[in-house]
Amino acid sequence: MPKPRTRRVPVRMSRPSGTGSWLRQLHFSAFSLVMMGVLVLAVIVLAPTVQAFLSQRQQIADQQRAVDQLAAQVDTLKDQRARWNDPSYLRAQARDRLYYVMPGETSYLVIDDRPPAAKQDTTPVSSKLQKTQTDWVGSLFGSFMGAGLTDATPQQLSGDGGAGSTPAPTPTPNPAPKK
């Protein structure tokens, strides 16, 4: 008896996605592998050259900036030289810097005859709050009342006979705090 034949039924496969169909169509040949190797070799050989080229371009740009700055400085110096060639500018500089005067003029030089400024206190500043040792309100009130009620002249009050100098106020002691 003959064997029954099996019937072949085609299997329905899902359609491959866009990426899958693209990958299935790729075929690597010896030529494409050689070309990929040449491309990788070209990148390896040219990378240092490109890096050197970019470095040189950066140096050229830096040098160009330096040249531009020096050109601006040269222009400034040329303008200054042109000003010094002007007689009125030269005369003004001689008056200001060297104290020169024109014939017939009188020059006065005022020297500061004030006493030197008092030295500043160099003690370190405390970060804690401190209580003042003088009663400034009482001192102010006493000064006001003393000036209004006295019969003495200003020369008698100053003690040295010179007007304009005032005696230094004396601190008034604070009463001890109550416990």
Side-chain angles (χ1 to χ4, degrees), residues 37-49:
V38 168
L39 184 64
V40 168
L41 184 64
V43 167
I44 291 172
V45 169
L46 292 178
T49 307

Side-chain angles (χ1 to χ4, degrees), residues 23-89:
L23 283 175
R24 285 192 182 133
Q25 292 175 0
L26 271 181
H27 297 287
F28 287 109
S29 65
F31 177 75
S32 62
L33 288 175
V34 168
M35 289 309 290
M36 287 172 64
V38 168
L39 184 64
V40 168
L41 184 64
V43 167
I44 291 172
V45 169
L46 292 178
T49 307
V50 170
Q51 190 269 341
F53 173 75
L54 294 176
S55 173
Q56 287 175 353
R57 294 302 299 170
Q58 181 64 37
Q59 288 175 353
I60 290 171
D62 291 342
Q63 293 298 323
Q64 186 62 41
R65 264 193 303 270
V67 166
D68 292 342
Q69 288 175 350
L70 290 175
Q73 187 177 7
V74 165
D75 291 340
T76 304
L77 291 174
K78 282 182 181 179
D79 292 342
Q80 189 176 12
R81 185 180 67 187
R83 278 195 308 251
W84 280 102
N85 287 334
D86 182 21
S88 61
Y89 181 77

Side-chain angles (χ1 to χ4, degrees), residues 95-145:
R95 284 177 177 266
D96 290 342
R97 293 184 182 188
L98 302 175
Y99 305 112
Y100 282 8
V101 293
M102 297 299 289
E105 293 180 344
T106 304
S107 175
Y108 294 102
L109 184 61
V110 178
I111 299 174
D112 189 11
D113 60 346
R114 294 181 293 175
K119 294 183 179 178
Q120 292 185 356
D121 190 16
T122 58
T123 57
V125 178
S126 173
S127 63
K128 298 178 183 177
L129 291 177
Q130 297 178 357
K131 191 172 185 180
T132 58
Q133 299 298 322
T134 60
D135 181 18
W136 66 272
V137 175
S139 296
L140 179 66
F141 182 71
S143 174
F144 180 74
M145 292 305 287

